[in-house]
């Protein structure tokens, strides 16, 4: 059996292609002295396949082969190590090789091969060194029997009541010192959960005898009593002192001091908090046994309130009497009361450009109850690519958004609920949002959305979000010329959708599973499902009171028609680790919206759209589909109308998107960030629910799903700064469903026109009123796409 560490391979990323060109003339050994060698390969032989990958990690870090990209960055930018960029060359050091050999040998012995021995060999060719470690494992030792010595009967009873749940040591199993360490830690925590405040790991010891010829081990586990005592004391919680300092950490001046009840005394030097903010999330109550899990839970929940800067673990002081009681102290430093964040970005897409400016003001402690008030303003503007001047006459579209969120760290309702904070802080969010959207020559739309939402954790992995009240009002004023053009081309649905006034009330529910794992490299599945139902209550009112109908026969409430619909969407992902920071992710994201009752069309905002940085990355947002709809065919006799309406959103009531992405690390230190790469495939589209005159070939049909599915491929870079990730993706149209037959495989049929104009692009421009066909789409974003 062999395990290898090889120089990192090159993947098809924009940066790595450029580096390959440069690399072709570079030597990895430049800068290495004649009497030195660069470690370029490690081989481990003779180790059980189960342990070989981990054994590689026991080779000293300075003897691990360099990633070529990291090493090249070091040569280019580090100035001989004066700047921390890239990775210094791994120079062969015989002392470190011997240390690595010893560490590998010790690791194998700890896995149960007690007689294992490891030898090392160094092979040097052209100042490149290969380290070869050869293991002679010998027999594997198994556990023959387990004995215990626990003089404290109470501890012995607790141990045997929980042994099967916590122990990794079983007769007949492989002997493993990691299992001994695991059992020691689990026993320590078990005692700390049951009132044994003064219990230490040093009380737990394991003796094992491996002198038998049959490769077996006898283990004896001992839990000693404190010196001079016959048993371990059990402690209970007494009083709790909560002290909140000023934001600068000082506890000077006059404090607000309140004796909350027989347990809690509350001292606030910031004069900003009511006692319940801390008391509600302090889980160790008077008279209860000391429990280290509740101590940790208190710290975690108080931190999650997002109003405190420093929340250390509660500390405990023993009462001087013999009652074995603990007084608790909780010392907290709050965050600044107010914050303001300004954000901006430059938008570029298909030759168009624009700006996006936002501002978020946050009050972190409204009503002195850790309620967070967020006020958000955002203005985005996109200029037409037909001119190089950013004047108001050339604005293609712009949008102004304003919103307010008031978030309470508890469930607020007319009904009494137990505090749902065991697995996470629950929230009640009151939200109101307004948006004003203008698209030149088409429409001006306003919308109001008001809602109340609750989110709470059922377990650490299961998050529920319930929105019992959601009220939406939207009003569109369509440009008269655009209205006439749309009607002339049988696109009545667009006129109805974007140029009408409508409102609805509804309820929403979302369930998430395993969101806690999204930043890890473990193997897991993620699920998010949502259900949105609207208009049923208004329908009941309309039918009960026989309210007025409009000319289309739809009921009105308060003089406006209302929408009735059901919409559901699923996001299911499979994450699989491939070792280190390499990961494969597959996502399937279907959804469907169905109008019924008082509606035969979904509200414009409730439809599905694809394209953009997070799903079909080779297409601009809202420019794909529905189905095989071809905008040029729809306007083939009217190029003027095509030019007017070429940016009209393309939507559908059905969406299916699938993504597969391989993620890997390129360099550990690229100007302070980890440089990572990705290769991906995106497939999907949106479809109409039934045939629509305004969207020919846009309907969903089972016999045409594959034919009408778009496919994009691409590669990207991720600059991981730890607290957030900058992302740049280059995506290419591979299969475009607006065409027919083999013409859909645009990248295979026209690879020579990827970055140049030829017959295909010329014909497309002629058929689309001068519009250009772009194979590649660059997407810049913050965070991972999914």
């Amino acid at each position: 059996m062999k395990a290898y560490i090889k120089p990192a391979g090159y993947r098809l990323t924009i940066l790595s292609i450029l580096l390959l060109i440069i690399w072709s003339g570079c030597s990895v050994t430049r800068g290495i002295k004649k009497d030195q060698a660069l470690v370029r390969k490690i081989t481990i032989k003779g180790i059980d396949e189960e342990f070989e990958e981990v054994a590689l990690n026991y080779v000293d870090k300075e003897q691990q082969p360099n990633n070529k990209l990291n090493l090249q960055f070091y040569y280019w930018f580090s100035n001989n190590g004066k700047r921390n960029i890239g990775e210094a060359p791994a120079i062969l050091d015989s002392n470190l090789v011997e240390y690595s050999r010893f560490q590998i040998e010790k690791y194998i012995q700890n896995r149960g091969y007690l007689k294992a021995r490891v030898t090392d060999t160094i092979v040097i060719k052209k100042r490149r060194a290969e380290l070869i470690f050869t293991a002679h494992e010998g027999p594997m030792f198994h556990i023959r029997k387990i004995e215990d010595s626990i003089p404290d009967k109470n501890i012995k009873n607790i141990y045997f009541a929980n042994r099967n749940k916590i122990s990794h040591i079983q007769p007949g199993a492989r002997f493993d010192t990691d299992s001994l360490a695991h059992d020691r830690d689990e026993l320590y925590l078990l005692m700390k959960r049951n009132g044994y405040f003064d219990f230490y790991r040093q009380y737990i010891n394991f003796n094992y005898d491996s002198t038998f010829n049959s490769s077996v081990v006898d283990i004896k586990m001992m839990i000693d009593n404190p010196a001079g005592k016959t048993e371990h004391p059990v402690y209970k919680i007494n009083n709790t002192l909560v002290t909140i300092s000023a934001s600068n950490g000082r506890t000077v001046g006059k404090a607000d001091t309140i004796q909350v009840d027989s347990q809690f005394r509350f001292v606030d030097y910031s004069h900003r908090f009511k006692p319940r903010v801390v008391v509600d999330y302090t889980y160790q109550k008077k008279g209860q046994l000391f429990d280290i899990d509740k101590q940790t839970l208190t710290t975690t929940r108080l931190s999650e309130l997002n109003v405190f800067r420093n929340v250390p673990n509660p500390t405990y002081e023993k009462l001087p009497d013999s009652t074995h009681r603990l007084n608790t102290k909780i010392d907290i430093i709050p965050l600044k009361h107010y914050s303001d964040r300004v954000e901006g970005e430059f938008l570029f897409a298909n030759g168009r450009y624009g700006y996006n400016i936002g501002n978020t003001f946050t009050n972190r402690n409204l009503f002195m109850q850790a309620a967070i008030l967020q006020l958000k303003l955002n203005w985005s503007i996109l200029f037409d690519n037909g001119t190089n001047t950013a004047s108001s006459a050339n604005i293609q579209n712009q949008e102004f958004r304003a919103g307010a969120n008031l978030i309470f760290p508890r469930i607020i309702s007319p009904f009494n609920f137990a505090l749902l904070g065991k697995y996470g802080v629950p929230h009640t969010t009151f939200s109101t949002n307004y948006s004003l959207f203008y698209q030149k020559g088409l429409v001006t739309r306003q919308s109001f959305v008001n809602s109340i939402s609750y989110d709470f954790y059922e377990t650490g992995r299961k998050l529920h979000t319930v929105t019992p009240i959601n009220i939406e009002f939207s009003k569109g004023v369509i440009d008269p010329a655009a209205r006439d053009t749309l009607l002339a081309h049988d696109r009545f649905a667009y006129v109805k959708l974007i140029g009408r006034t409508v409102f609805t009330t509804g309820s929403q529910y979302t369930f998430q599973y395993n969101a806690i794992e999204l930043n890890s490299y473990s193997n897991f599945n993620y699920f998010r499902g949502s259900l949105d139902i609207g208009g049923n209550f208004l329908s009941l009112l309309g039918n009960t009171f026989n309210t007025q109908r409009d000319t289309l026969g739809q009921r009105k409430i308060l003089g406006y028609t209302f929408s009735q619909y059901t919409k559901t969407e699923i996001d299911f992902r499979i994450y699989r680790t491939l070792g280190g920071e390499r990961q494969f992710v597959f996502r399937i994201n279907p959804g469907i919206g169905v109008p019924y009752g008082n509606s035969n069309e979904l509200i414009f905002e409730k439809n599905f759209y694809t394209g953009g940085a997070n799903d079909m990355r080779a297409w601009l947002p809202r420019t794909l589909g529905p189905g095989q709809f071809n905008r040029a065919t729809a306007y083939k006799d009217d190029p003027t109308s095509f030019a007017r309406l070429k940016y009209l959103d393309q939507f559908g009531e059905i969406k299916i998107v699938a993504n597969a992405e391989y993620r890997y690390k390129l360099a550990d230190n690229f100007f302070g960030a980890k440089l990572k790469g990705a290769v991906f495939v995106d497939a999907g589209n949106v479809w109409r629910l039934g045939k629509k005159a305004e969207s020919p070939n846009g309907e969903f049909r089972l016999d045409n799903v594959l034919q009408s599915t778009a496919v994009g491929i691409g590669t990207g870079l991720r600059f991981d700064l730890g607290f957030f990730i900058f992302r740049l993706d280059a995506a290419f149209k591979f299969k475009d469903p607006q065409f027919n037959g083999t013409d859909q495989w645009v990248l295979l049929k026209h690879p020579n026109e990827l970055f140049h104009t030829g017959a295909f692009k010329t014909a497309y421009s002629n058929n689309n009123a001068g519009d250009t066909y772009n194979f590649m789409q660059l997407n810049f974003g913050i965070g991972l796409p999914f």
Side-chain angles (χ1 to χ4, degrees):
M1 291 169 285
K2 297 183 180 181
Y4 300 97
I5 293 183
K6 298 180 179 179
Y10 293 103
R11 287 89 174 180
L12 292 177
T13 62
I14 299 170
L15 183 60
S16 61
I17 291 172
L18 294 175
L19 289 174
L20 268 174
I21 297 172
I22 299 172
W23 187 260
S24 60
C26 297
S27 170
V28 296
T29 57
R30 74 182 178 93
I32 305 300
K33 297 179 181 179
K34 290 184 178 180
D35 60 342
Q36 294 178 329
L38 188 70
V39 179
R40 291 308 301 150
K41 185 177 180 182
I42 296 175
T43 301
I44 296 183
K45 301 178 180 179
I47 293 182
D48 190 287
E49 185 177 347
E50 181 182 354
F51 310 123
E52 60 183 14
E53 185 174 345
V54 178
L56 291 168
N57 296 327
Y58 283 86
V59 177
D60 188 89
K61 185 177 180 181
E62 293 184 18
Q63 299 297 284
Q64 298 276 1
N66 295 103
N67 176 298
K68 282 190 177 182
L69 213 51
N70 278 325
L71 184 59
Q72 194 62 45
F73 288 150
Y74 177 86
Y75 288 145
W76 284 343
F77 305 118
S78 72
N79 192 15
N80 294 321
K82 294 179 181 179
R83 288 192 292 267
N84 185 26
I85 299 173
E87 184 180 283
I91 306 298
L92 177 66
D93 185 328
S94 59
N95 291 326
L96 293 179
V97 173
E98 167 58 22
Y99 175 75
S100 300
R101 182 206 65 76
F102 173 75
Q103 290 295 102
I104 295 172
E105 184 177 272
K106 185 178 178 181
Y107 167 71
I108 300 172
Q109 291 172 353
N110 289 339
R111 303 281 75 73
Y113 297 97
L114 299 183
K115 297 181 179 181
R117 296 293 180 265
V118 175
T119 60
D120 63 77
T121 304
I122 302 173
V123 178
I124 301 176
K125 294 181 180 179
K126 297 181 180 180
R127 291 159 54 195
R128 291 176 172 84
E130 178 185 3
L131 309 183
I132 302 173
F133 297 96
T134 304
H136 307 278
E137 291 182 328
M140 177 185 287
F141 282 69
H142 291 81
I143 299 171
R144 186 173 70 168
K145 65 178 180 178
I146 304 170
E147 296 178 340
D148 64 81
S149 175
I150 309 175
D152 188 324
K153 293 182 179 180
N154 293 326
I155 287 183
K156 188 168 186 175
N157 290 336
I158 294 173
Y159 168 65
F160 278 102
N162 293 275
R163 186 182 186 283
N164 291 336
K165 292 187 292 186
I166 68 171
S167 180
H168 281 186
I169 304 172
Q170 302 294 337
R174 172 173 53 86
F175 175 75
D176 188 334
T177 56
D178 279 355
S179 294
L180 301 185
H182 170 272
D183 276 31
R184 177 181 284 112
D185 288 340
E186 288 296 315
L187 270 169
Y188 166 78
L189 292 174
L190 180 63
M191 297 302 111
K192 287 287 191 177
R193 294 182 186 114
N194 285 274
Y196 291 95
F197 174 74
D198 269 343
F199 192 90
Y200 300 102
R201 287 180 177 85
Q202 290 85 340
Y203 289 127
I204 308 169
N205 293 287
F206 290 95
N207 290 336
Y208 57 90
D209 185 356
S210 60
T211 60
F212 306 99
N213 292 326
S214 53
S215 303
V216 294
V217 176
D218 288 347
I219 298 176
K220 186 174 184 179
M221 189 269 291
M222 297 170 290
I223 302 179
D224 299 326
N225 282 337
K229 296 184 179 181
T230 59
E231 62 181 11
H232 290 262
V234 176
Y235 287 85
K236 293 185 177 181
I237 301 299
N238 189 45
N239 295 329
T240 301
L241 172 64
V242 178
T243 303
I244 300 179
S245 68
S247 295
N248 58 12
R250 297 179 180 179
T251 53
V252 295
K254 186 178 180 180
D256 296 334
T257 303
I258 301 173
Q259 186 66 42
V260 180
D261 53 27
S262 62
Q263 176 184 355
F264 289 94
R265 186 166 180 261
F266 183 79
V267 181
D268 182 11
Y269 287 91
S270 71
H271 309 286
R272 287 167 43 192
F273 296 90
K274 291 184 178 180
R276 70 171 300 181
V277 173
V278 179
V279 171
D280 281 356
Y281 291 103
T282 301
Y283 289 88
Q284 301 228 110
K285 302 301 183 182
K286 192 169 185 174
Q288 293 180 347
L289 292 177
F290 167 79
D291 185 340
I292 194 172
D293 285 351
K294 290 182 178 179
Q295 177 192 29
T296 303
L297 188 61
T298 297
T299 302
T300 302
R301 295 297 169 262
L302 291 177
S303 299
E304 288 176 357
L305 292 176
N306 200 30
V307 294
F308 299 120
R309 175 161 56 94
N310 186 18
V311 186
N313 275 330
T315 58
Y316 303 92
E317 182 180 282
K318 302 174 191 175
L319 268 66
D321 56 29
S322 60
T323 57
H324 295 147
R325 290 180 295 166
L326 300 171
N327 282 338
T328 308
K329 292 181 64 178
I330 301 175
D331 298 311
I332 309 175
I333 301 175
L335 288 165
K336 290 183 178 180
H337 197 168
Y338 305 106
S339 68
D340 193 73
R341 184 177 74 249
V342 178
E343 297 176 317
E345 61 180 341
F346 178 72
L347 308 173
F348 58 98
N350 203 21
R352 293 174 288 166
Y353 64 96
Y355 310 92
N356 188 3
I357 301 173
N359 185 84
T360 301
F361 169 81
T362 302
N363 180 333
R364 287 195 176 89
N365 188 32
L366 198 66
F367 310 128
M368 301 179 70
Q369 295 186 39
I372 295 177
L373 174 66
Q374 289 183 332
L375 302 177
K376 297 183 179 183
L377 297 174
N378 183 273
W379 180 51
S380 60
I381 183 169
L382 190 66
F383 294 96
D384 198 321
N385 61 353
T387 179
N388 293 322
T389 61
S391 67
S392 59
N394 300 308
I395 293 175
Q396 179 60 42
N397 62 55
Q398 58 182 319
E399 183 176 16
F400 171 76
R401 288 176 288 171
N405 293 321
L406 179 57
I407 307 169
F408 288 89
R410 60 187 61 87
I411 300 297
I412 298 176
S413 80
F415 310 102
N416 291 324
F417 288 95
L419 186 66
L420 305 172
K422 182 178 180 180
Y423 300 103
V425 174
H427 296 97
T428 301
T429 302
F430 299 89
S431 178
T432 183
N433 294 279
Y434 167 78
S435 70
L436 173 63
F437 174 80
Y438 163 78
Q439 183 156 327
K440 182 179 179 181
L442 181 60
V443 71
T444 300
R445 285 189 63 80
Q446 299 181 74
S447 67
F448 298 86
V449 180
N450 299 278
S451 65
I452 301 174
S453 296
Y454 303 100
D455 63 72
F456 59 92
Y457 287 87
E458 178 188 346
T459 69
R461 297 178 182 274
K462 298 178 181 179
L463 174 62
H464 302 268
T465 302
V466 180
T467 303
I469 302 174
N470 186 74
I471 303 172
E472 302 183 34
F473 176 88
S474 60
K475 180 179 181 181
V477 178
I478 194 168
D479 181 271
R483 177 187 177 90
D484 293 342
T485 300
L486 287 167
L487 293 177
H489 291 274
D490 297 322
R491 310 203 75 181
F492 178 73
Y494 270 103
V495 175
K496 183 180 177 184
L497 284 172
I498 66 177
R500 69 188 296 211
T501 298
V502 65
F503 81 104
T504 190
T505 62
S507 301
Q508 299 165 356
Y509 169 72
T510 301
F511 172 73
Q512 286 191 77
Y513 178 75
N514 257 352
I516 193 174
E517 296 281 2
L518 287 178
N519 293 321
S520 74
Y521 286 96
S522 59
N523 294 322
F524 66 97
N525 297 334
Y526 168 82
F527 176 85
R528 184 181 187 275
S530 64
L531 178 64
D532 184 356
I533 300 175
N536 290 343
F537 176 71
L538 295 179
S539 178
L540 178 63
L541 287 180
N543 292 329
T544 301
F545 295 100
N546 194 26
T547 59
Q548 190 179 16
R549 296 179 183 268
D550 65 7
T551 56
L552 298 176
Q554 296 180 341
R555 293 265 187 205
K556 291 184 176 182
I557 298 289
L558 301 177
Y560 298 105
T561 57
F562 60 88
S563 180
Q564 199 172 358
Y565 65 91
T566 296
K567 179 182 178 182
T568 186
E569 185 174 3
I570 290 173
D571 183 348
F572 177 71
R573 311 176 199 172
I574 299 173
Y575 291 79
R576 291 294 178 265
T577 182
L578 301 174
E581 296 184 41
R582 295 179 297 128
Q583 187 179 50
F584 174 78
V585 185
F586 173 78
R587 176 176 75 160
I588 182 73
N589 179 208
I592 183 171
V594 180
Y596 62 91
N598 205 52
S599 302
N600 52 24
E601 298 282 353
L602 289 177
I603 299 176
F604 188 72
E605 290 78 10
K606 295 293 181 181
N607 281 282
F608 291 105
Y609 309 88
T610 53
N614 296 318
D615 49 39
M616 299 298 297
R617 284 166 277 189
W619 280 263
L620 286 169
R622 303 190 176 205
T623 61
L624 175 60
Q628 289 190 263
F629 172 69
N630 186 308
R631 196 185 293 269
T633 302
Y635 297 100
K636 61 183 178 180
D637 298 325
D638 192 353
T640 302
S641 297
F642 178 89
R644 172 191 290 274
L645 303 174
K646 66 179 179 179
Y647 299 129
L648 196 67
D649 291 334
Q650 296 175 211
F651 62 89
E653 295 90 350
I654 297 174
K655 177 182 79 169
I656 303 175
V657 171
N659 312 88
E661 184 164 293
Y662 170 60
R663 299 169 181 171
Y664 53 91
K665 182 177 68 176
L666 282 169
D668 284 312
N669 190 355
F670 182 72
F671 292 92
K674 280 189 177 182
L675 180 61
K676 300 179 179 180
V679 178
F680 55 83
V681 177
D682 304 325
N685 207 336
V686 293
W687 291 267
R688 299 304 304 273
L689 195 62
K691 291 186 177 182
K692 307 292 181 181
E694 70 273 8
S695 305
N697 298 316
E699 73 276 8
F700 180 82
R701 302 197 321 266
L702 288 175
D703 62 353
N704 195 41
V705 171
L706 295 179
Q707 181 75 5
S708 57
T709 294
V711 178
I713 61 174
T715 183
L717 298 173
R718 285 89 169 93
F719 303 90
D720 188 350
L721 298 175
F723 49 95
F724 63 86
I725 297 173
F726 287 111
R727 171 166 53 94
L728 177 64
D729 287 331
F732 303 87
K733 296 181 179 68
F734 190 78
K735 177 178 179 289
D736 194 336
Q738 69 173 305
F739 305 113
N740 293 306
T742 59
D743 290 337
Q744 291 186 335
W745 303 94
V746 289
L747 194 58
L748 293 177
K749 293 204 67 173
H750 312 287
N752 57 318
E753 297 191 40
L754 185 60
F755 300 109
H756 303 284
T757 299
F760 169 70
K761 285 186 176 180
T762 300
Y764 183 87
S765 180
N766 292 336
N767 292 330
N768 290 269
D771 198 20
T772 57
Y773 189 87
N774 290 284
F775 283 92
M776 186 179 76
Q777 176 63 38
L778 288 175
N779 294 291
F780 173 79
I782 295 178
L784 295 173
F786 48 84

